[in-house]
Amino acid sequence: MRSNPWRKDLAGGVAAAFSGLPIELVYGLLAVAPLGAAYVGHGLRAGLWACVLAGVLGLLLRTTGGMVAGSRPAAGLLLGALAAMLLEQGAIQASPDPAATVFVLLLLCTALAGLLQCIFGLAGVGSALKYVPYPVIAGLMCGVGLLMAKSALKPFLGLSASQPWSAWMAGWHPSSVLVGGVTLILCFRASRWTRRIPGVVLALVGGSLLHHLLAALLGPAFMGPTSSSAHGLIPTFSVWQTLEAGSALSVLAWVPSLLPYAAAIAAFASLENLLCLASIESVKGVRSDGDRELVRQGLVNVVGGVLGATPSVGVPARVAANLMAGGRTPLSGASYSATLALVVVFAGQWSSLVPAAVTAGILLFFAQTMLDEGTRRMARQVIEGRSEMSSGQYRTLLSNLGVVVLVALVATVGQMLQAMVVGVVAAMFLFVRTSMKPVIRLVSNATLRRSLKVRSMLELESLDAFGTQIVTIDVDGPLFFGTADRAALEIEKAAHHAGWVILDLKRVGEVDATGARTLLRISDRLAREKKSLLLCGMNERLRDFLGAMGLPQHRENWLEDMDAALERAEDALLASQGVLVTTASVSLGDTVLAEGLREDQLQVLARHLVTGVCEAGDYVFRKGDQGGSLYIAGDSAVDIVLMLEGQRHKRLASLAPGHVFGEMALLDGKPRSADAIVQRRSVVWELTRAQLHAIEAAHPEIVARLLLNLSHCLADRVRARTRELSALLEAA
């Protein structure tokens, strides 16, 4: 039989309540710890009241189905820090009941935090909180864990909150340490014995039974204190009562002092709520409106603070328990609240049986959960993974872990607000430092890196001898005020012994005014030294910006890509060395294909060639054409290109007159893989497969020579590209 959805919602709320009750008892004490033992009961009621209101108001406001809200340590610790600060104020100390005044101000801070959550949601900035750098969030959570552990130490040792640390040796109780230790062990191990009952519940029961057994055997004097009773749900204090009593002006005067703490609580609460939403979305498969949820949760806290509750925040662990038990609608959150209310009303007085050492053990257990798996993994990698990472990767990892540790320490010895500010500043520093990493990716020269233009042996020998005069520099990353000067120094150093400097900017996404002026300064300096700066690979936006910043007079040195820039520089270098760049016409006997043939063999080859004429810009063949022949242009260079989208093309090679092209189709008969375009009017010779077979039948020695020449041609091209690739990989 199919179960009713509302029954699953009720079951989900009950399951979350029994797993969350011990936590609510523990976290409810954090906010009121500075106020003394007399306010422990008030703190417990305020925390439990927050859970009840969150479920009831969540049902009325139609919060996201599956959401369960309750106390969270970060909010409690922030309120505790606020309470400690307020108690030191002279105006508070002069009031008839300083602790009561502070308690009301804590409730007002809760309402202000809710109001700020509403503003976050209405302004549409709530979802942006997810972009807070991870090391900052991790550090804050670690700081919360350390503060939780710190607050648990005295009760764990059996000391009262009022006992000074200087007297701990005389006042501690070994039996309390035993009870707290057993409770902590049960928290870790109980889940291995049963999954029906939450481990924390078993730890609460087991630790309490052990405490009372030892008290019966040894006497109460050998045991630490127990918790206060949770008598009823309705709080004694509320902002509403204060306003009704006519003390509004005296309370509202503290709003400026409360706002920073309220903002921090709102930020933490918003992050926790968004984390809960992510869990709900993954289970339900329905995307939630994060900003809308922040407004609803904010309204819950506004009402809760006015009516005497501490902050309620989405709790990932209780949301998970609710979802696992079938909770899917806001009714499950109301079920959670109702279950807690019934337990407190009918069994709240039994909470006095719970020893302080047990709550301390539970608190220590949840303190270690604040150290998330990402932080643990980071620490392990820093300690164990040094040999597996590059120095740059290790420094980045160490820097991020340093931010986590720094934020955690500031949160522990200072305040959560200070820790948040320090963390954001440290994360910004890391970002700027990372962005300011060297942007020069690769420096090479024309002895290693060549254009795709296939040149004569004389030209190649000259490039081998004088190729260091052409320097190629790949720039990778933003060229802005933080990187421009360092990049300029490296460029000027590389250009010291060169006449042509090529900057490849295809990996440069951003250039600010400083970067543009730096390029202009380098260009002017090289021009004064009779040297040339060529820029290539720029996108249209970068071209426009550099033009606006004063580089139009250098536009003739802006090339489409590195290949075009290299060809320009190579031609200029060869001309400066008195080497004629191959543009002249060649006869059939001077072609690569006919190398080594006797005159009579050359005449045989000529009779079997198809001779034609192509005008400038004509296609010899197009990509996809059926193959079966090779070609030689006698009067023009031939570009082998691959057409791209938007009428753009990529040059794969540029062959001087006399070089063979299209030979792969002659050998395998497959369709053409690229286009071949002649640069100017030229005679073109074609050797088909049929004519090659005819020559082979009558003159096999000629075909043997032709195939040898083709193999030499292919080998030279492969060797050149392999040499260039090897040089690039070694330089990188």
Side-chain angles (χ1 to χ4, degrees), residues 25 40-42 44-45 48 226-232 344 347-354:
L25 293 174
V40 169
H42 296 301
L44 286 176
R45 281 196 297 275
L48 293 169
T226 58
S227 303
S228 299
S229 298
H231 293 294
V344 171
Q349 67 274 15
W350 294 351
S351 64
S352 61
L353 299 177
V354 179

Side-chain angles (χ1 to χ4, degrees), residues 665-694:
L666 174 72
L667 299 175
D668 60 20
K670 293 182 179 180
R672 306 291 181 180
S673 57
D675 300 343
I677 306 173
V678 294
Q679 295 182 358
R680 61 179 185 274
R681 192 175 191 276
S682 174
V683 62
V684 177
W685 295 292
E686 178 185 6
L687 177 61
T688 65
R689 298 182 74 183
Q691 293 299 325
L692 183 64
H693 291 324

Side-chain angles (χ1 to χ4, degrees), residues 438-568:
V439 294
I440 302 303
R441 177 173 176 265
L442 178 65
V443 178
S444 186
N445 59 62
T447 63
L448 303 172
R449 193 175 187 180
R450 302 274 175 79
S451 71
L452 296 172
K453 186 172 185 177
V454 179
R455 299 183 179 275
S456 67
M457 289 304 299
L458 179 60
E459 292 170 346
L460 294 176
E461 290 171 358
S462 296
L463 290 177
D464 285 337
F466 304 104
T468 54
Q469 285 288 306
I470 301 174
V471 173
T472 63
I473 301 174
D474 289 54
V475 185
D476 187 0
L479 198 60
F480 69 118
F481 67 91
T483 60
D485 185 64
R486 186 171 180 181
L489 291 175
E490 295 189 48
I491 293 170
E492 290 169 357
K493 179 182 177 182
H496 185 65
H497 298 293
W500 293 266
V501 179
I502 303 174
L503 290 186
D504 189 352
L505 304 178
K506 69 180 179 181
R507 294 182 179 85
V508 177
E510 297 292 338
V511 176
D512 70 354
T514 303
R517 298 304 297 176
T518 299
L519 291 178
L520 178 61
R521 178 172 56 82
I522 295 172
S523 181
D524 290 340
R525 176 179 173 178
L526 292 178
R528 289 194 300 270
E529 296 175 359
K530 306 301 182 183
K531 299 179 179 181
S532 297
L533 176 67
L534 308 180
L535 305 181
C536 65
M538 295 181 289
N539 57 48
E540 192 62 34
R541 184 164 55 89
L542 194 55
R543 286 172 176 265
D544 293 342
F545 182 73
L546 292 180
M549 291 302 297
L551 272 75
Q553 64 268 34
H554 303 274
R555 195 177 289 269
E556 70 277 3
N557 287 339
W558 294 3
L559 286 305
E560 182 68 23
D561 52 27
M562 176 60 76
D563 178 46
L566 275 170
E567 182 179 352
R568 167 85 68 84

Side-chain angles (χ1 to χ4, degrees), residues 102-190:
V102 169
F103 196 93
V104 172
L105 291 178
L106 298 184
L107 300 177
L108 179 59
C109 183
T110 298
L112 289 174
L115 181 61
L116 290 175
Q117 279 186 277
C118 292
I119 293 174
F120 287 168
L122 292 173
V125 300
S127 299
L129 289 169
K130 67 180 70 175
Y131 298 110
V132 174
Y134 168 74
V136 178
I137 297 175
L140 289 171
M141 292 300 101
C142 289
V144 169
L146 290 173
L147 289 171
M148 291 169 63
K150 179 182 175 183
S151 66
L153 286 180
K154 281 188 177 181
F156 191 86
L157 295 173
L159 301 172
S160 65
S162 59
Q163 286 182 274
W165 276 110
S166 57
W168 78 272
M169 283 294 292
W172 77 294
H173 295 84
S175 54
S176 291
V177 176
L178 176 61
V179 170
V182 169
T183 302
L184 190 57
I185 292 172
L186 288 174
C187 287
F188 281 104
R189 309 286 296 187

